Amino acid sequence: MMLVLAVIQLIAISAVSAALYDVTKYGADRSGGIPSTDQIARAINDAAIHGAGIVHFPPGKYLTGPIELKSNIILDIADSTIITFLDDPALYPPLDATLPDGKQRRIEFTPLIRGVGVRNVAIRGNCVLEGNGAIWWDRLPPPATRPIFIYFSGSHNIVLKNIIIRNSPMFNVNIIWSNSIVVDGIRIRNPESYKGAGPNTDGINLLSVNRVHVTNVDVATGDDCLVLDAWGYGKDRDPTHDVLIENSHMSIGHSGVGIGSITAGGLRNITIRNCVFDSVCRGVDIRTNNVRGGVVEDILYQNLTMNNCTWEGISITALFPDYKDKGWHPIGDQTPFIRNIRYENIRGSAEREGIYLVGLPESPVENIVLENVDMRSKKPNPILLQNTRNIVINGRRY
């Protein structure tokens, strides 16, 4: 994939030419006993002042508050290093930011690691990033908002490689209004549930992004393992497009790979292939409703294994989460359209329907092809179709 080569090459060139900024030279404590928030910030700011830099964490244990990344910075973390984030709410005040294109963004807590309006940034290392999530979940149980772990907004050329993210207070990776993104080899671990429903700990949450490659990730979390959304309001539409997700393992989450329910901006040209989903609620799903709008089209699912889905295996619904009003409505700006979806070489099992496709009376789910698909189900009828048009399942037209 040319995007991946271009972004990795760009970061590699930066690594060759950039100076090394060792956080311990700025006084960071690698015993884990003393917070190093200010020392880490000084290393990053020094690198940014000089135009670029590799901010290096030698082996050890570090304790820190939030980290703000700057353009042309590689956060390079030595193998087996553990960075633990402090849980004091006073360190994570509300964040107001203006993006390069003038968009305003406010989030209720400063993320643990953030980059807003940055370019050419990487976080890499066979290391552990520990978020102290249980303290936050007890303090602010669902559906309360808590800090996001890794957050990028309005940014370009982002690489996340090989890191382990553990116990995020809320979303683990959240990237919005950004492009040219590579997520490679990262591992995410959050509990399946915590005193009830999973505490909004989406693994990888991408909103209004394009030119994205996610590969070799391993996600087990209490909410969606990976979700793609697209923001839109009125005439302002920010689509998600040109996304490849491959060679990955997802488990125990609400969905293996979910599209929506924020669909107003439109999502297109997305491929999910060569992945295994274990004990997720839904294997792959597309979800929206008649107030979300947007066009979801040109999606390819290929070579997937879905073991023990606790709900549906393959799911499309325009009645998410469970809209009671299932009658006909005039087509308008908020009407969603789901079409041109293809599933190839998929095997698995589900507690509910193996194939669940539900559209709207005024906007049927249409042009869906399932080829060489074997989704076993405990339901007497493993296929449910409502408000659909031109559906082909293993050569049979419905």
Side-chain angles (χ1 to χ4, degrees):
M1 185 177 182
M2 294 305 296
L3 160 66
V4 181
L5 295 176
V7 174
I8 290 178
Q9 184 180 41
L10 182 146
I11 297 294
I13 291 170
S14 298
V16 169
S17 59
L20 186 72
Y21 297 82
D22 182 334
V23 297
T24 63
K25 303 299 184 186
Y26 291 80
D29 171 43
R30 57 176 176 172
S31 73
I34 302 172
S36 299
T37 311
D38 293 339
Q39 294 83 355
I40 294 167
R42 284 202 296 270
I44 292 171
N45 290 335
D46 204 2
I49 288 169
H50 290 89
I54 301 171
V55 176
H56 177 65
F57 288 75
K61 296 180 179 179
Y62 298 85
L63 193 61
T64 184
I67 294 174
E68 181 180 8
L69 297 173
K70 304 294 181 67
S71 292
N72 306 311
I73 297 292
I74 297 173
L75 212 61
D76 178 67
I77 307 167
D79 291 355
S80 302
T81 293
I82 300 174
I83 301 176
T84 300
F85 286 80
L86 296 160
D87 57 73
D88 181 0
L91 297 173
Y92 306 91
L95 178 67
D96 292 288
T98 301
L99 304 185
D101 62 1
K103 284 190 176 72
Q104 299 293 317
R105 176 70 172 162
R106 177 180 174 85
I107 48 181
E108 293 305 311
F109 289 93
T110 296
L112 278 56
I113 300 175
R114 72 186 186 276
V116 178
V118 298
R119 294 175 175 269
N120 310 329
V121 173
I123 305 173
R124 68 187 188 193
N126 294 302
C127 61
V128 174
L129 306 179
E130 170 60 53
N132 269 324
I135 297 170
W136 288 98
W137 306 329
D138 284 338
R139 181 187 293 141
L140 295 167
T145 298
R146 298 170 300 281
I148 295 163
F149 208 129
I150 296 177
Y151 172 84
F152 286 95
S153 182
S155 298
H156 311 283
N157 297 339
I158 302 162
V159 175
L160 305 178
K161 187 168 176 63
N162 292 341
I163 56 178
I164 299 171
I165 305 170
R166 204 165 62 187
N167 297 316
S168 174
M170 206 167 85
F171 298 164
N172 287 263
V173 175
N174 184 208
I175 304 177
I176 70 173
W177 291 319
S178 299
N179 63 55
S180 300
I181 300 157
V182 176
V183 181
D184 181 4
I186 76 169
R187 186 177 180 188
I188 291 173
R189 289 293 182 270
N190 285 272
E192 177 177 3
S193 62
Y194 190 83
K195 299 179 181 178
N200 303 341
T201 52
D202 285 2
I204 302 171
N205 184 302
L206 307 175
L207 186 150
S208 296
V209 296
N210 61 81
R211 301 194 299 279
V212 177
H213 186 203
V214 178
T215 185
N216 298 313
V217 304
D218 184 350
V219 180
T221 191
D223 210 307
D224 294 318
C225 293
L226 192 154
V227 62
L228 300 170
D229 286 316
W231 178 254
Y233 183 78
K235 294 182 179 180
D236 186 13
R237 305 286 172 172
D238 297 307
T240 286
H241 60 88
D242 299 317
V243 177
L244 173 61
I245 300 162
E246 63 179 348
N247 305 326
S248 294
H249 182 261
M250 314 289 185
S251 57
I252 74 172
H254 293 180
S255 65
V257 176
I259 294 177
S261 63
I262 303 172
T263 55
L267 300 102
R268 65 181 187 273
N269 298 337
I270 297 167
T271 296
I272 298 100
R273 68 188 185 194
N274 305 330
C275 294
V276 176
F277 307 128
D278 282 318
S279 300
V280 294
C281 293
R282 293 184 174 98
V284 292
D285 71 327
I286 299 171
R287 62 225 183 190
T288 186
N289 58 50
N290 60 10
V291 298
R292 296 299 176 103
V295 178
V296 180
E297 62 184 350
D298 301 330
I299 316 294
L300 173 63
Y301 300 93
Q302 192 175 56
N303 304 331
L304 305 179
T305 299
M306 306 179 187
N307 299 313
N308 305 314
C309 296
T310 57
W311 293 359
E312 299 86 16
I314 294 169
S315 173
I316 298 176
T317 179
L319 294 170
F320 180 84
D322 186 22
Y323 269 60
K324 303 302 182 184
D325 182 3
K326 299 179 182 179
W328 184 91
H329 295 266
I331 290 176
D333 183 61
Q334 295 177 314
T335 304
F337 297 89
I338 304 172
R339 61 200 182 203
N340 304 336
I341 317 293
R342 187 172 182 88
Y343 303 83
E344 297 178 355
N345 306 324
I346 297 177
R347 297 286 182 276
S349 59
E351 294 284 329
R352 301 182 185 177
E353 288 84 3
I355 300 169
Y356 179 93
L357 310 179
V358 177
L360 299 172
E362 68 275 17
S363 179
V365 171
E366 61 181 344
N367 301 337
I368 312 297
V369 176
L370 298 95
E371 182 177 308
N372 194 24
V373 171
D374 180 11
M375 283 299 304
R376 287 162 284 125
S377 168
K378 292 187 177 180
K379 291 267 190 176
N381 185 356
I383 300 173
L384 187 150
L385 307 178
Q386 292 180 358
N387 297 319
T388 60
R389 183 164 56 211
N390 192 23
I391 310 297
V392 179
I393 303 176
N394 295 330
R396 179 180 174 185
R397 188 174 300 276
Y398 290 80

